[in-house]
């Protein structure tokens, strides 16, 4: 990672850890198990239902789930880009060094 460009290091620093993602994913089904499917999808709930603290927690967890899913996809794309950089970066660098050495007499 020390040889990675500054932009890539910045991107990698913003990726959440797998442990925190796994903890949240583990907790989502536990909280959702106590709720009825009709409670999760009932848009006609009255104002007191929306103000319910449990409803707030469920809504928060649902938003977190969608956010974590999106972050997971983004993390996977970043990983693929970084893996490609690792596979091709050293060979590209070696090729450019040898080409430069051939141009410049020793």
């Amino acid at each position: 990672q020390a040889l990675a460009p500054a932009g890539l290091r910045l991107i990698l620093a913003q990726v959440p850890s797998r442990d925190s993602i796994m903890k949240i994913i583990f907790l989502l089904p536990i909280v959702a198990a106590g709720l009825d499917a009709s409670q999760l999808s009932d848009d006609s709930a009255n104002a007191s239902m929306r103000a319910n603290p449990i409803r707030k927690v469920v809504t928060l967890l649902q938003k977190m789930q969608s956010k974590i899913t999106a972050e997971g996809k983004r993390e996977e794309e970043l990983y693929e880009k970084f893996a490609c950089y690792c596979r091709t970066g050293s060979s590209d660098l070696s090729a450019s060094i040898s080409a430069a050495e051939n141009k410049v007499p020793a």
Side-chain angles (χ1 to χ4, degrees), residues 3-48:
L3 298 176
L8 188 56
R9 285 194 303 262
L10 178 64
I11 290 171
L12 291 174
Q14 295 175 355
V15 175
S17 70
R18 290 194 184 268
D19 291 338
S20 62
I21 292 172
M22 294 306 290
K23 286 177 187 175
I24 293 171
I25 290 174
F26 177 73
L27 291 175
L28 285 176
I30 293 170
V31 172
L35 300 175
D36 216 29
S38 63
Q39 289 175 331
L40 290 174
S41 63
D42 189 17
D43 292 333
S44 64
N46 58 20
S48 64

Side-chain angles (χ1 to χ4, degrees), residues 5-100:
L8 188 56
R9 285 194 303 262
L10 178 64
I11 290 171
L12 291 174
Q14 295 175 355
V15 175
S17 70
R18 290 194 184 268
D19 291 338
S20 62
I21 292 172
M22 294 306 290
K23 286 177 187 175
I24 293 171
I25 290 174
F26 177 73
L27 291 175
L28 285 176
I30 293 170
V31 172
L35 300 175
D36 216 29
S38 63
Q39 289 175 331
L40 290 174
S41 63
D42 189 17
D43 292 333
S44 64
N46 58 20
S48 64
M49 181 64 176
R50 290 188 187 135
N52 187 348
I54 295 173
R55 169 43 86 201
K56 289 180 182 180
V57 170
V58 170
T59 304
L60 175 71
L61 288 174
Q62 288 172 338
K63 288 179 183 178
M64 286 174 60
Q65 181 182 20
S66 62
K67 182 179 176 181
I68 289 171
T69 303
E71 287 177 355
K73 289 178 184 177
R74 189 178 77 224
E75 180 181 345
E76 185 176 346
E77 291 171 1
L78 289 173
Y79 176 79
E80 290 298 323
K81 288 179 184 178
F82 184 70
C84 180
Y85 170 78
C86 289
R87 284 191 302 267
T88 61
S90 63
S91 62
D92 290 345
L93 184 60
S94 298
S96 67
I97 289 173
S98 63

